Amino acid sequence: MVDSDGSRSAPTIRFEGGVKPLVAFFVGSAVYFTLVVLLVDSLIGDGSIPLWGQFVYYVVGFGPVALFAWVALRREGLAPSNVGLSWRNVGPGVLAVAGVWVLANVLGFVLATATGDSVSVGFPPGVALATWLVLLVSQLAIVGIVEEFAFRGYFQNKLVSLFDGGANWKRKVAAIVVATVLFVLLHVPQRLVITGLSLADLPPALVGLFVYALLFAVIYELTRNVVFAGVLHGTFNVQTVLVFREGGVAVSEVGSIAVLLALVAVWLYRRWAKVTRPDDFSAQTGPSVVAADGGL
């Protein structure tokens, strides 16, 4: 953005829609997720979902939420590319995530063999290849991308703008925490109905989900790349471990290594992107609910 005097000011991403698009998006997503969960439970019950049904579930369950976010963004005067969902982000995002998991599996293989274990490399044993591939594609191309686009690209950025946190790190942190809490609450019906958690088991499960979601909220904020955050999100959902000890037990160290490598990848990506594409890190601005004195 260039000021009238010709000097270059800090780039901004301005949300113009006020509170209404945000509320409409959240309520619509909450109602839709709940209806999908109840519908799946009534149709499937305790039975297993066939392979084609699993893919349909992910498309039908998550596709409309991406549409809700797109409509909300348009109401704000913005496009998906403004929040990090663009073709130019595909290459760097996918390559960064692929590098994390390739190196994690290689290091896991080395560590396991160094201890004298018998290790094999391949797809998860005991799982049909087609089933694993459908799950992998669904998580990477649908679930991860949709959730990061809708709830980080739009919802989180919008809350940061409402909290006037674009240039104030304390308000930004508060907005990210609130966005993450609301994201976690959307999962309550799924955890109770589909996963079958009891009310007693729900709180610790939600705490774990909060930590997991907060990690990706920070990853998105540091990279502003929906593809990077979304594909990484999908890989951790499905755990792309390809090295196994005797008996088909996954080498657990791979997951821990992947977390550390992912943090390194985020740091390296941010260093690169801040220089090559600084406008990706535009400060979130717009009509705010925070008063000039910092109060609400």
Side-chain angles (χ1 to χ4, degrees), residues 86-109:
S86 62
W87 285 110
R88 77 169 188 165
N89 280 343
V90 172
V94 171
L95 287 175
V97 177
V100 165
W101 281 100
V102 168
L103 187 54
N105 277 283
V106 169
L107 292 177
F109 178 86

Side-chain angles (χ1 to χ4, degrees), residues 103-280:
L103 187 54
N105 277 283
V106 169
L107 292 177
F109 178 86
V110 171
L111 286 175
T113 53
T115 61
D117 292 339
S118 176
V119 181
S120 60
V121 178
F123 298 107
V127 178
L129 178 58
T131 300
W132 187 78
L133 289 176
V134 166
L135 179 61
L136 184 66
V137 171
S138 298
Q139 290 292 336
L140 269 62
I142 301 175
V143 178
I145 294 293
V146 169
E147 289 196 336
E148 294 304 316
F149 167 58
F151 295 103
R152 252 65 80 175
Y154 173 64
F155 193 66
Q156 178 173 302
N157 276 324
K158 175 64 176 180
L159 276 174
V160 171
S161 75
L162 288 175
F163 277 55
D164 198 22
N168 184 306
W169 72 268
K170 291 182 179 179
R171 294 176 185 170
K172 178 173 287 189
V173 169
I176 290 174
V177 171
V178 170
T180 304
V181 169
L182 293 174
F183 172 75
V184 169
L185 292 178
L186 284 175
H187 289 73
V188 170
Q190 189 270 344
R191 292 299 192 269
L192 290 175
V193 178
I194 302 298
T195 307
L197 290 178
S198 66
L199 290 176
D201 292 332
L202 184 62
L206 294 182
V207 170
L209 179 59
F210 173 80
V211 173
Y212 182 69
L214 185 61
L215 172 63
F216 281 100
V218 173
I219 287 174
Y220 169 77
E221 178 58 33
L222 291 176
T223 64
R224 298 288 184 88
N225 185 330
V226 167
V227 180
F228 182 9
V231 174
L232 187 65
H233 182 154
T235 60
F236 277 107
N237 281 357
V238 75
Q239 284 290 308
T240 46
V241 178
L242 300 176
V243 290
F244 302 89
R245 290 188 168 91
E246 190 173 357
V249 179
V251 175
S252 59
E253 292 88 344
V254 172
S256 301
I257 294 171
V259 171
L260 296 176
L261 291 177
L263 297 178
V264 173
V266 169
W267 177 72
L268 292 174
Y269 179 90
R270 182 175 173 84
R271 284 177 58 90
W272 169 77
K274 287 284 282 187
V275 174
T276 61
R277 47 185 68 174
D279 286 352
D280 283 2

Side-chain angles (χ1 to χ4, degrees), residues 279-296:
D279 286 352
D280 283 2
F281 300 90
S282 301
Q284 304 93 330
T285 66
S288 174
V289 298
V290 178
D293 60 1
L296 294 178

